[in-house]
Amino acid sequence: MKKYNFNAGPSILPREVIENTAKQILDFNGSGLSLMEISHRAKDFQPVVDESVALFKELLDIPEGYSIIFLGGGASLQFMQIPANFLIKKAAYVNSGVWAKKAIKEAKHFGEVIEIASSADANYTFYPKGFESKVPADVDYLHICTNNTIYGTEIRKELDVNVPLIADMSSDIMSRPIDVSKYKAIYAGAQKNISMAGVTVIIVKDDELGKAPRELPTMMDYRTHVDKGSMFNTPPVVPIYSMMENLRWLKKNGGLEAADKRAHERAEALYTEIDRNKLFKGTVENDSRSLMNICFVMNDEYAELEKPFLEFATERGMVGVKGHRSVGGFRASCYNAMTMEGVNALVQAMKDFEAKY
Ligand SMILES: *Cc1c(COP(=O)(O)O)cnc(C)c1O
């Protein structure tokens, strides 16, 4: 049976990206060695890094003066590496979910952190609003998590603030065009929207580096990795390769404008069905709804049908639609590689399940 991968992360990738990566794992560029066996300094691998950087620049329209680096450690390491490099005295953070909260906790190791807005008291059922005018002018940056993977809330627009932004875009990077010039840094663990687990992408503004008033261990300092083109130590070779394949796929499929359009189409189909279907309801405020992680639960009077629906959907090939334990219900993650076929299969399962009751 065909499987539809709605996992929140690691998550769906285009079939051709997986197949092309698999071929290189068996025989990298006809070398007789696996992609898993070659040196990251082999002459055939540098072009993979170079092409990945070039595709990021092209697809995200990254201006001059920014570097793109590929590191290990996940987005979670960035929760501390970001403030280590950029927090001089004081930073503002928006507490929009568990990942944002973790970023706040780590930043406090490095300086003063102001939480300027939070939806924690409402179990993060909306993206905090109205904070743009409240950002103190003297903070080094405003940190946001653009898409809250667990709760299904998203801020899918450029903020209007007079301080530089830093964003955790782990679960919505490359799903829409962004104005990179507004950011000091953007980071994302690759395993949601751009590759397999193992690589983290960080886009940093070069002239903001080296200003923090602290000694940084070599590996912590972004300048180490910028200067060495992500080759200071052994980078995650296979995840970088599959990322390059995925960026090629994105480009071939119309770039980020087209990715944004597809994200809207997928989400609209699912939210329309959630709102129409008598069995289900959404879990977040309408104007905070994420296009990436679509969360819903059974309506109160049908609460006992939660497990049966999960089984019903699973029998029809849906994978990973169980909600996060802190929200319950269901979460359909619709990252870049999710097709309308997959979305329609889930919508049909919801309709057919409703017809039984
Ligand atoms: C998954 C996720 C993280 C954590 O990523 P790791 O790469 O596992 O450290 C951080 N932020 C967001 C928004 C996420 O979705």
Side-chain angles (χ1 to χ4, degrees), residues 127 146-147 152-156 172 288-292:
Y127 203 102
T146 48
N147 182 69
T153 66
E154 184 175 18
I155 186 145
R156 209 174 169 87
D172 64 348
S288 295
R289 283 177 160 182
S290 167
L291 303 192
M292 302 279 106

Side-chain angles (χ1 to χ4, degrees), residues 8-9 73-77 79 99-100 145-150 168-171 187-192 199-200 335:
S76 299
L77 182 64
F79 296 161
W99 297 116
C145 175
T146 48
N147 182 69
N148 299 289
T149 322
I150 293 174
D168 175 359
M169 294 197 182
S170 291
S171 51
Y187 61 96
Q191 70 274 22
K192 286 161 186 147
V199 63
T200 311
Y335 298 118

